[in-house]
Structure formats: C-alpha cells, structure tokens
Amino acid sequence: DAAVAGGAEVRRYPAAKDQSDLELAVRAARAGGATRVIVVGGAGGRLDHFLANALLLASAAFDDLEIEALLADARITVVRRDARLGGEPGDVCSLLAAGGPARGVRTAGLRYPLDGEDLLPGSTRGLSNELTDPVATVSLEHGVLLAVQPDLGGT
C-alpha cells in the first residue's frame, strides 16, 4: 500500500503461471526501458527458488541488462564482460560459471587472482576468494559469471 501511495506500479499475476515473479519483473523492467536492474529479495525462502532466481539472472535472455541482486544475505553480480565488486578487504567473493564455461577470466583486487583462466560450471575453482582492496574487478572474454558476495546483502 505504501509503495502504491508513493507512485509505484503494481502488477498482479495469477499464482499458477509459466514464469516466476522475478522473471516477469525483470522482463517488465526491460520493456520499460531499464538497462540496469537491481533485484532486492527474490530468494523465496527455499533453496530451489534461490538457485532458480540466481540462474535466471545469468540467463542469455537478459544479456542486454546489467544485473545485481540482493538475495537472502548475499549480493550477486552478473558478470558478462566486466564488473566492479565493492566491499571490505577480507570479504568473501566466489566466482561461479553459469550456463557454460566462463572463458578468459581476469581479476584484480582479489587474494587469488585469475589471469585469463577458464571457470567451468560445477567447478569450485572460483569458490571462496577474498577482496584485498575495497574494489575488485572481474572481466571475462566469453560466458557468464555469478560473483557471489555472502553476508553483503544488506550493505
């Protein structure tokens, strides 16, 4: 009610549908001209919802959008070309390939740097890295990464 009173648009859909609420919302944002989307919430309180929503954001269907999400207690940045990740030195950051191999991954400002390496879906190679600077950079030549920063959802 407060959001509507403040001028927000609310769209209502039936509970039984072929797309999740998050997918409908991201599609609506893009249709409205958005090029950058920040998702707040969307974990759904269930592991399957969390995983589905994180993978949805990395989908090729949204490769024209810059996407960041605050899901549960994590900040997730979708990296398609390059991204800057903010935080405090010592903060954990995991880089996870989504939808296929992430080729030519390069990082700066992380304890365990990558220099043109490939990360594969299902590999733990990019798990539990740490920021060494207040801003780290990640880039890749091909593919998609989910940069997951746990315990930063509220910051």
Side-chain angles (χ1 to χ4, degrees), residues 28-81:
R30 181 176 54 202
T35 58
R36 182 166 191 251
V37 173
I38 299 174
V39 176
V40 178
R46 293 179 10 198
L47 179 60
D48 57 337
H49 281 253
F50 180 88
L51 293 172
N53 286 338
L55 292 172
L56 170 78
L57 299 176
S59 166
F62 301 120
D63 65 359
D64 57 332
L65 296 174
E66 181 183 339
I67 300 177
E68 183 178 340
L70 306 176
L71 301 180
D73 67 344
R75 177 181 296 147
I76 299 174
T77 304
V78 179
V79 184
R80 298 184 191 282
R81 286 164 283 289

Side-chain angles (χ1 to χ4, degrees), residues 17 61 68 72 98 112 116 122 127 130 135:
K17 56 192 177 300
E68 183 178 340
Y112 309 107
L127 190 65
E130 295 178 13
V135 176

